[in-house]
Amino acid sequence: MAPATERDPAPLRHLQQRLQQIYEIEAGADVIDHLTTDGALAHALSGDAAGVRAGEQLLVRQDGEWLELSLYLAEAVIEHLGNHDPIESLHAGNLAEFCTALEGVSHFVCVAWNARHDRSVSLLELELQAEVDKFIVAAHLLGDQNAGLHDRDLLASLFREVSFLPELDDEQRRRYWWANRYAQQYCQHLQQRFMHAPRPRRMLNELRRFYRLPREAKIRRIHAAS
């Protein structure tokens, strides 16, 4: 689906490339080619008002062996990232939009990569991986930028200072709550094990193993690490 905005969504492509480099994977598709900012269309295709209000939604349609993906991101998110590029400087003023965009790109990459390997992926696994991805990519960017925001601040911002949209039904709310809790436990483990005494190669190996685990194995890994 072609972009519904004339703004350069280059940060999205960079975020996809960053994820693929971290996890040593290839999605096999460019998120820019599957991007739309048409909220009415996203709502019509999904029937999910919460996703549209949140500013991000992955639209998936499967027809036999064919899988069609479109990523909806709100025009306001694209515009804000264009004016305050998190690749150049990630800060409190663009962290929310960065997280919204990164969540969408994470969902896109995860579904596309699993589809290339004939693997299914659950909604909980998608949300859990996206929460981990937010922390990891933000930490990488802040490290590159030598910024004042640290991983402890990130843990608080991403996992403790959160709220859920009132439109969510009970099942959605439980899924997001568990994804947040599991991701917080795992990212605290990463922080304690790898970030206090920087060991980038060992952390990459851990992240790449984790990414390839199925959902139940991911959760067992989190419990064991905690």
Side-chain angles (χ1 to χ4, degrees):
M1 185 174 291
T5 175
E6 295 182 358
R7 285 190 173 274
D8 180 9
L12 303 183
R13 181 173 284 126
H14 182 102
L15 293 177
Q16 177 178 354
Q17 292 169 345
R18 179 78 64 136
L19 286 173
Q20 292 180 157
Q21 290 167 358
I22 290 171
Y23 295 114
E24 209 170 45
I25 60 173
E26 286 293 337
D30 188 337
V31 67
I32 302 303
D33 296 333
H34 298 262
L35 177 67
T36 180
T37 58
D38 189 335
L41 175 62
H43 189 196
L45 292 175
S46 69
D48 185 357
V52 175
R53 182 179 173 189
E56 173 275 326
Q57 192 169 41
L58 183 67
L59 307 169
V60 182
R61 178 177 179 270
Q62 187 162 5
D63 184 7
E65 296 182 355
W66 293 96
L67 187 69
E68 298 180 7
L69 299 178
S70 294
L71 175 62
Y72 163 71
L73 285 176
E75 175 68 26
V77 173
I78 299 293
E79 182 175 0
H80 194 88
L81 292 178
N83 294 329
H84 308 279
D85 189 348
I87 310 306
E88 296 178 359
S89 177
L90 180 62
H91 50 79
N94 62 4
L95 182 61
E97 289 78 12
F98 161 82
C99 287
T100 299
L102 194 280
E103 182 170 353
V105 175
S106 170
H107 291 340
F108 177 85
V109 170
C110 190
V111 170
W113 180 82
N114 276 280
R116 292 189 76 193
H117 293 82
D118 296 319
R119 291 172 40 153
S120 62
V121 57
S122 71
L123 292 175
L124 175 59
E125 186 178 353
L126 274 181
E127 298 302 337
L128 167 59
Q129 188 61 58
E131 293 299 304
V132 173
D133 289 350
K134 291 176 194 176
F135 177 78
I136 293 303
V137 175
H140 273 235
L141 289 176
L142 293 171
D144 292 345
Q145 298 164 10
N146 194 26
L149 190 65
H150 299 293
D151 51 290
R152 285 193 182 87
D153 303 317
L154 276 177
L155 283 170
S157 297
L158 298 180
F159 302 122
R160 291 191 280 274
E161 300 167 4
V162 298
S163 60
F164 301 111
L165 293 173
E167 293 92 339
L168 296 177
D169 60 34
D170 290 344
E171 180 180 353
Q172 291 172 316
R173 189 176 298 274
R174 283 194 297 270
R175 182 168 66 246
Y176 286 118
W177 189 89
W178 279 109
N180 178 277
R181 180 174 180 178
Y182 284 140
Q184 179 180 357
Q185 292 175 354
Y186 185 62
C187 291
Q188 284 176 334
H189 163 71
L190 294 175
Q191 179 199 60
Q192 293 164 3
R193 184 178 178 189
F194 300 109
M195 294 182 176
H196 289 168
R199 290 173 282 187
R201 175 52 56 182
R202 291 180 64 184
M203 186 167 76
L204 281 175
N205 290 340
E206 165 64 25
L207 287 168
R208 289 166 182 172
R209 285 193 296 268
F210 183 83
Y211 196 91
R212 288 159 173 79
L213 293 174
R215 183 189 67 180
E216 294 304 322
K218 276 186 168 76
I219 293 172
R220 288 195 298 271
R221 176 66 180 155
I222 291 169
H223 286 314
S226 300

